[in-house]
Amino acid sequence: MGYYTVLPGSRPEDNDMILYGENAEEVQILVRSESRIPEVVEIEDEDAHRQTAVVFGLRHAANASKSGEGTSALSKIQVLLLSMFVRNQPADRVLHPKENELKMMNHLRQEFNWLIKNEVHKVFNQLKEVLEAAARRYPVEIAEVETQVRQEKYVMATSTQTSQDQLKCILTITGDSITSADMTLKLHKHPNVVYHTTIAAESPWRLQQIQDSGNYLRMALSSLSLIPDQLQYLSAEEVLNDLDSVLGKVNSARSILAIPRKRTIDELMNSKNMKTLTPSLPSDLAVSFYLQAHKLIFAVYHLTQAGGTVKFETLQSESPVTWLNEVLVLLSVALHRAQQLRDKVSVFLQYQIHNVSSEATPVPIF
């Protein structure tokens, strides 16, 4: 009989407590448990694996699976953290529950110290490099990064729902504005009527998404630049505060480009950009330019009234944007790397290890 520390494990299938043998390849299931927090249990029959050091309790994931939000299984990082306890404890050495618990917390604190002192600034520097690479691909100037305003020409291709003769558009984008465009429109209900309008450099069409996204990216880089390499974090909360600040700005920069804000017909009709068209379009027509994922979209909306209900027909053409695709990839890489660090730091909050101690740190296990 002996006392063993039960820790949340990595398998979501059930709540079995399992006993790992030091030299055994298989796992012996011992008892059932509903516990989801570390606790000390008493095992009567340990003859099969007397060199075993730890019992792991597995988290139950049934509720999470039913809700469609994934399982509540621990990450690989957490499993690695907890696996440090399976290390050559003598068969005749049975720790008292309190002593076992203190030893567990001491190991976790040592790993936390190493993470704070060795990983945090490394990841912050990586984020800065990736975000600077993204900023250099924007066609507008972004402070703190060497960029220049570029001019690019696009020939819009009609989508499968729109025939080639219905919608034609050739345009030039300079920075965050359409400085030249030539548009020809033909509607289903008026096949013999052709609408033609242009955009001139004197009254450009602003693509606000580019400027807004660039502003969030600039703020993210500014937040990182305010964190000195010599700064010694003393708690998980300090790290998460700085990390969440950067994460939020990078996520906003990406979302603005990937998922444009939906606008009502009234907003499109009354927008300042509509006033840049020469000649003006009829009052039942509205056009829109916006970025979505890796494409530039040109959309035309034709309003009709039937039985007192206002409806509209939509025509659309698009063109791929090379720099936009590259920016979205780099922002996604930054978000993934930042989230990895956040997950590592958050692991220790579950065990109420918040602050760095002065104890010596071991070689990291992840």
Side-chain angles (χ1 to χ4, degrees):
M1 182 176 68
Y3 292 100
Y4 294 92
T5 302
V6 178
L7 300 171
S10 60
R11 300 184 183 183
E13 292 82 6
D14 54 34
N15 284 3
D16 290 339
M17 294 182 186
I18 54 180
L19 187 63
Y20 286 89
E22 179 185 351
N23 300 316
E25 296 181 356
E26 297 182 355
V27 174
Q28 178 186 10
I29 297 179
L30 299 177
V31 293
R32 300 286 295 178
S33 172
E34 297 298 326
S35 175
R36 300 190 185 187
I37 60 175
E39 61 175 329
V40 175
V41 298
E42 186 178 16
I43 302 298
E44 294 185 0
D45 183 9
E46 58 176 344
D47 292 335
H49 300 287
R50 286 195 56 79
Q51 295 183 5
T52 299
V54 180
V55 178
F56 286 77
L58 303 182
R59 283 187 169 185
H60 184 60
N63 292 335
S65 298
K66 290 178 182 178
S67 65
E69 298 177 354
T71 69
S72 58
L74 296 184
S75 65
K76 292 181 180 179
I77 298 167
Q78 292 166 296
V79 175
L80 288 171
L81 280 172
L82 300 176
S83 66
M84 73 178 75
F85 294 98
V86 189
R87 290 180 181 171
N88 300 326
Q89 287 195 15
D92 57 351
R93 172 65 167 133
V94 178
L95 299 178
H96 186 274
K98 290 293 184 181
E99 185 181 358
N100 209 350
E101 182 178 355
L102 289 174
K103 185 174 182 179
M104 176 192 72
M105 298 304 294
N106 182 53
H107 277 297
L108 288 173
R109 182 171 291 281
Q110 288 176 344
E111 298 299 334
F112 176 73
N113 290 352
W114 179 89
L115 176 65
I116 294 297
K117 294 177 181 179
N118 295 275
E119 278 284 293
V120 173
H121 284 293
K122 177 183 176 181
V123 173
F124 281 163
N125 288 331
Q126 291 174 347
L127 290 178
K128 188 174 181 181
E129 291 177 3
V130 173
L131 296 182
E132 287 177 347
R136 286 191 289 270
R137 286 161 171 79
Y138 276 72
V140 295
E141 294 182 358
I142 296 180
E144 303 178 7
V145 180
E146 294 184 4
T147 59
Q148 59 182 1
V149 176
R150 297 196 305 272
Q151 188 175 84
E152 297 173 315
K153 185 175 181 179
Y154 298 92
V155 178
M156 311 298 287
T158 54
S159 61
T160 56
Q161 293 81 13
T162 306
S163 62
Q164 187 65 43
D165 63 338
Q166 282 185 293
L167 198 59
K168 295 180 181 180
C169 179
I170 300 175
L171 59 88
T172 300
I173 297 179
T174 304
D176 63 346
S177 299
I178 299 174
T179 53
S180 174
D182 189 283
M183 294 161 278
T184 302
L185 322 175
K186 186 185 293 186
L187 305 176
H188 285 298
K189 294 188 176 182
H190 308 289
N192 297 324
V193 179
V194 177
Y195 300 95
H196 178 262
T197 187
T198 62
I199 297 174
E202 295 77 22
S203 54
W205 181 296
R206 289 291 305 278
L207 293 170
Q208 192 63 38
Q209 287 172 268
I210 297 177
Q211 189 62 54
D212 290 345
S213 177
N215 287 340
Y216 276 110
L217 181 56
R218 176 186 57 78
M219 289 188 287
L221 286 168
S222 179
S223 296
L224 288 170
S225 66
L226 294 175
I227 304 174
D229 291 336
Q230 299 77 18
L231 177 62
Q232 294 184 358
Y233 286 100
L234 300 178
S235 69
E237 288 81 2
E238 292 178 356
V239 176
L240 293 178
N241 283 340
D242 285 345
L243 190 57
D244 286 344
S245 176
V246 175
L247 260 172
K249 295 177 178 66
V250 175
N251 188 57
S252 294
R254 187 185 185 283
S255 297
I256 286 172
L257 297 176
I259 309 172
R261 183 176 72 86
K262 292 184 177 181
R263 300 178 183 274
T264 65
I265 291 296
D266 287 340
E267 286 179 317
L268 293 172
M269 289 288 189
N270 300 319
S271 69
K272 294 180 180 179
N273 284 328
M274 283 291 293
K275 296 178 174 61
T276 66
L277 301 179
T278 306
S280 300
L281 292 173
S283 58
D284 59 348
L285 280 176
V287 299
S288 176
F289 293 92
Y290 59 90
L291 302 172
Q292 183 173 19
H294 62 285
K295 297 177 181 179
L296 171 66
I297 308 294
F298 170 47
V300 178
Y301 306 93
H302 179 218
L303 274 67
T304 60
Q305 288 190 356
T309 303
V310 178
K311 299 181 179 180
F312 59 90
E313 172 191 358
T314 303
L315 304 177
Q316 184 172 301
S317 61
E318 59 190 36
S319 175
V321 180
T322 302
W323 71 264
L324 183 58
N325 185 59
E326 294 174 354
V327 164
L328 291 174
V329 170
L330 288 169
L331 294 180
S332 296
V333 170
L335 288 171
H336 178 68
R337 191 68 186 94
Q339 189 60 51
Q340 282 183 320
L341 177 61
R342 197 185 194 290
D343 291 342
K344 288 182 180 181
V345 176
S346 298
V347 166
F348 297 95
L349 293 177
Q350 299 179 29
Y351 300 100
Q352 299 182 354
I353 297 176
H354 302 259
N355 303 313
V356 173
S357 71
S358 59
E359 299 173 4
T361 57
V363 177
I365 61 174
F366 61 89

